[in-house]
C-alpha cells in the first residue's frame, strides 16, 4: 500500500511570497509612503477565526513592552493572533511572563540598544506595526528625560518611516505641555512634535494618569500609609482635578487604533468617564482600603525638598519633585480630539476597578469587605 509522507518546514526557512500571487488589497499592506516596496510574508496574511492560534495580519514591534502598560498591550496583541517582537534590555528571566501571552513562536525577544540606530532598525525591519511605549518616571545618569521622551522616539519614528512601516503608535501624555512645571511633561510635548515631524501619519495617544494593578498612581498614594496616617497634598488637593483612565482601556485603544484604517495621523485623548478633585480621589482610595485618611496641606517648596531626599536613591526612587508636580497638575480637556468612545471602547470608572488594585492594601480583617460599604468619590465637571 502506498503511503504519503508530508514534510513540513519551519517558518524561518519558508520562502517569502511574491507579490504576483495576491490581489491589490493584500498588497497595499506592503506599500509605503516613501515609494519603497516591502515583500509580503505569508505570516502577515490574516486567516483563522480571530483567536490566539489565528493570524491577525499584524506583525508588531513593541518598544517598552516590559513596562506597566506594555504587558497589557502585548497580551491584547497575542490573544488576536499577532506576531510580536519585544526589544528589551533586561535579563531573559525578567520577561518570561510574556511567553504565555501568545501562541507558540508568535512572541520573539530581541536585545536592543536604544542608542544604536542599527539595533532599532533590526527590531522593526520585519514588522508592519510599531508601538512606542518607552518611558520612565525618573532620570538616571545614562538616560535623561530628553533621551527617553525625545531622542529615542524620534529615532524609532525615523527608522519606522525608512523601513516602510504602515502604522506607528506613539504614547504621550494628556498634560504634555511645553509650559508645564514638570520636566517630564515638557519633554513629552517635545517628543510628540519630533515624532510627528519624522512620521506624519503617526497615531499619538494622550492618556491621563493610568491606574491598574502595577501602577504608580493609586499604589503611590496607598503606600503613603507607611509614613503615618497623614497624607501631604499641595493645597489639600482641592485645586487639582484628575480624570484617571484604566490601563486595560488604554491597551484596547492602542489595538483598535492599529486595526482602524482611518486612525493614521490622529491624536487621541484617553481619559476616564469622571473627573475628581485629587483630595476626593485620595480619600476614596483610603476608604476602599479601610484606613484613616488625614490630609494636610504642604507647601510646594517644602514638598520638593522632602521629595529630593527620596530622589537621591540609587535605586528606583519612591517619589521625586517632578512627580509631585505632575500629580498636582490638573488634567486638560480636549473636546476637539477623539477619545475612547471613537475607538469603540466604553471607559471604566474608578469605582468599578479600584478594588482590584487596592484590596492588597487592606488589613486582613477587611480583606473580604463588601465594596458597597464604601461611598463613591465625588465627581466634578470642571
Amino acid at each position: 500500500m502506498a503511503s504519503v509522507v508530508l514534510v513540513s518546514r519551519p517558518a524561518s526557512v519558508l520562502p517569502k511570497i511574491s507579490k504576483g500571487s495576491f490581489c491589490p488589497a493584500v498588497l497595499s499592506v506592503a506599500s509605503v509612503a516613501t515609494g519603497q516596496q516591502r515583500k509580503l510574508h505569508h505570516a502577515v496574511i490574516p486567516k483563522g477565526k480571530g483567536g490566539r492560534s489565528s493570524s491577525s495580519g499584524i506583525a508588531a514591534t513593541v518598544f517598552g513592552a516590559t513596562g506597566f502598560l506594555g504587558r497589557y498591550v502585548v497580551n491584547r496583541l497575542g490573544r488576536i493572533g499577532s506576531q510580536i517582537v519585544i526589544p528589551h534590555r533586561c535579563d531573559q528571566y525578567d520577561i518570561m511572563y510574556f511567553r504565555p501571552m501568545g501562541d507558540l513562536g508568535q512572541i520573539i525577544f530581541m536585545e536592543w540598544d536604544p542608542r544604536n540606530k542599527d539595533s532599532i532598525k533590526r527590531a522593526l525591519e520585519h514588522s508592519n506595526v510599531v508601538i512606542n511605549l518607552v518611558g520612565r518616571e525618573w532620570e538616571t545618569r545614562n538616560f535623561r528625560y530628553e533621551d527617553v521622551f525625545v531622542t529615542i522616539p524620534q529615532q524609532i519614528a525615523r527608522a519606522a518611516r525608512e523601513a516602510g512601516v504602515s502604522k506607528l503608535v506613539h504614547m504621550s501624555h494628556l498634560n504634555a505641555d511645553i509650559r508645564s512645571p514638570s520636566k517630564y511633561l515638557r519633554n513629552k510635548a517635545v517628543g510628540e512634535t519630533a515624532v510627528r515631524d519624522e512620521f506624519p501619519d503617526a497615531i499619538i495617544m494622550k492618556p491621563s494618569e493610568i491606574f491598574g494593578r502595577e501602577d504608580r498612581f493609586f499604589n503611590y498614594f496607598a503606600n503613603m500609609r507607611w509614613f503615618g496616617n497623614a497624607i501631604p497634598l499641595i493645597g489639600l488637593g482641592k485645586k487639582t482635578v484628575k480624570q484617571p483612565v484604566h490601563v486595560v482601556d488604554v491597551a484596547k485603544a492602542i489595538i483598535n487604533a492599529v486595526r482602524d484604517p482611518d486612525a493614521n495621523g490622529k491624536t487621541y485623548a484617553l481619559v476616564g468617564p469622571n473627573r475628581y478633585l485629587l483630595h476626593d480621589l485620595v480619600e476614596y482610595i483610603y476608604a476602599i482600603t479601610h484606613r484613616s485618611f488625614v490630609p494636610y496641606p504642604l507647601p510646594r517648596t517644602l514638598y520638593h525638598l522632602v521629595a529630593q531626599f527620596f530622589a537621591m536613591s540609587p535605586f528606583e526612587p519612591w517619589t521625586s519633585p517632578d512627580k509631585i508636580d505632575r500629580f498636582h497638575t490638573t488634567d486638560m480637556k480636549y473636546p476637539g480630539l477623539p477619545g475612547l468612545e471613537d475607538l469603540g471602547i466604553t471607559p471604566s470608572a474608578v469605582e468599578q476597578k479600584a478594588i482590584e488594585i487596592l484590596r492588597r492594601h487592606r488589613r486582613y480583617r477587611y480583606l473580604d469587605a463588601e465594596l458597597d460599604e464604601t461611598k463613591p468619590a465625588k465627581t466634578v465637571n470642571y
Side-chain angles (χ1 to χ4, degrees):
M1 180 181 295
S3 62
V4 179
V5 179
L6 299 178
V7 180
S8 62
R9 293 189 293 175
S12 58
V13 299
L14 287 174
K16 292 185 177 180
I17 295 176
S18 61
K19 296 178 184 178
S21 306
F22 298 97
C23 63
V26 175
L27 293 179
S28 63
V29 179
S31 63
V32 298
T34 59
Q36 176 187 357
Q37 299 294 321
R38 303 180 76 190
K39 291 184 179 180
L40 188 67
H41 195 272
H42 67 90
V44 296
I45 299 176
K47 57 181 179 290
K49 297 182 179 181
R52 57 181 281 141
S53 296
S54 303
S55 175
S56 65
I58 297 173
T61 298
V62 185
F63 292 96
T66 55
F68 164 48
L69 175 60
R71 67 188 66 194
Y72 293 89
V73 174
V74 171
N75 189 27
R76 290 279 162 180
L77 286 170
R79 67 170 59 181
I80 62 174
S82 304
Q83 288 193 332
I84 310 163
V85 178
I86 300 180
H88 66 92
R89 299 189 304 121
C90 55
D91 190 272
Q92 61 175 342
Y93 294 104
D94 295 331
I95 54 177
M96 295 295 287
Y97 62 89
F98 281 115
R99 294 189 180 276
M101 294 185 183
D103 206 0
L104 185 63
Q106 292 293 83
I107 298 181
I108 302 168
F109 302 99
M110 178 180 296
E111 294 185 6
W112 76 302
D113 180 5
R115 302 187 188 277
N116 189 329
K117 295 181 181 179
D118 293 332
S119 177
I120 296 175
K121 291 179 180 179
R122 285 196 301 271
L124 55 77
E125 62 182 350
H126 298 298
S127 300
N128 56 18
V129 174
V130 173
I131 302 173
N132 175 36
L133 305 177
V134 175
R136 173 161 286 184
E137 291 197 345
W138 68 95
E139 294 182 295
T140 64
R141 292 181 302 172
N142 296 323
F143 292 97
R144 314 298 292 180
Y145 282 145
E146 293 85 352
D147 300 321
V148 176
F149 298 134
V150 182
T151 305
I152 294 175
Q154 186 178 38
Q155 292 179 351
I156 292 174
R158 183 182 298 122
R161 174 174 53 81
E162 293 174 351
V165 172
S166 58
K167 290 269 189 178
L168 171 65
V169 180
H170 173 69
M171 184 60 56
S172 184
H173 195 282
L174 185 72
N175 298 326
D177 189 352
I178 196 66
R179 298 163 297 180
S180 173
S182 168
K183 186 179 179 181
Y184 177 104
L185 296 176
R186 292 197 302 270
N187 282 279
K188 279 283 191 180
V190 176
E192 277 188 36
T193 304
V195 169
R196 185 69 79 191
D197 291 342
E198 291 290 345
F199 201 108
D201 286 338
I203 304 169
I204 294 180
M205 298 292 184
K206 295 171 68 70
S208 58
E209 297 299 338
I210 303 175
F211 66 95
R213 289 178 183 270
E214 308 88 357
D215 72 7
R216 293 187 179 93
F217 184 49
F218 280 14
N219 286 313
Y220 168 77
F221 287 107
N223 283 326
M224 281 188 174
R225 70 183 190 276
W226 295 109
F227 301 98
N229 293 330
I231 310 301
L233 294 171
I234 297 176
L236 278 177
K238 295 186 177 181
K239 297 180 180 179
T240 305
V241 179
K242 308 301 285 186
Q243 194 171 358
V245 62
H246 192 232
V247 62
V248 174
D249 294 337
V250 178
K252 288 180 181 178
I254 293 174
I255 305 307
N256 290 2
V258 167
R259 306 181 79 175
D260 183 2
D262 298 325
N264 283 6
K266 292 184 178 180
T267 300
Y268 292 88
L270 309 180
V271 295
N274 300 318
R275 293 173 68 86
Y276 310 89
L277 289 176
L278 182 61
H279 174 277
D280 297 335
L281 188 60
V282 179
E283 183 179 26
Y284 180 69
I285 290 172
Y286 276 79
I288 288 181
T289 58
H290 289 266
R291 295 181 182 272
S292 59
F293 172 66
V294 183
Y296 68 94
L298 191 64
R300 187 180 299 267
T301 305
L302 184 57
Y303 210 160
H304 280 187
L305 184 63
V306 175
Q308 190 62 45
F309 172 76
F310 288 97
M312 295 170 60
S313 170
F315 307 101
E316 177 183 344
W318 179 68
T319 190
S320 67
D322 193 89
K323 188 172 185 177
I324 290 169
D325 288 336
R326 181 159 54 90
F327 280 179
H328 287 83
T329 298
T330 294
D331 285 344
M332 298 181 182
K333 286 186 176 182
Y334 291 96
L337 293 182
L340 291 171
E341 293 83 358
D342 298 275
L343 291 169
I345 300 167
T346 302
S348 302
V350 168
E351 291 77 10
Q352 293 176 295
K353 300 295 182 180
I355 186 61
E356 300 176 3
I357 309 159
L358 301 171
R359 186 185 298 275
R360 68 187 183 90
H361 293 280
R362 289 179 169 183
R363 294 186 180 92
Y364 178 76
R365 71 178 69 175
Y366 301 113
L367 193 61
D368 295 324
E370 295 295 333
L371 190 60
D372 297 339
E373 301 175 8
T374 305
K375 185 179 179 181
K378 299 177 183 178
T379 60
V380 296
N381 297 320
Y382 53 87

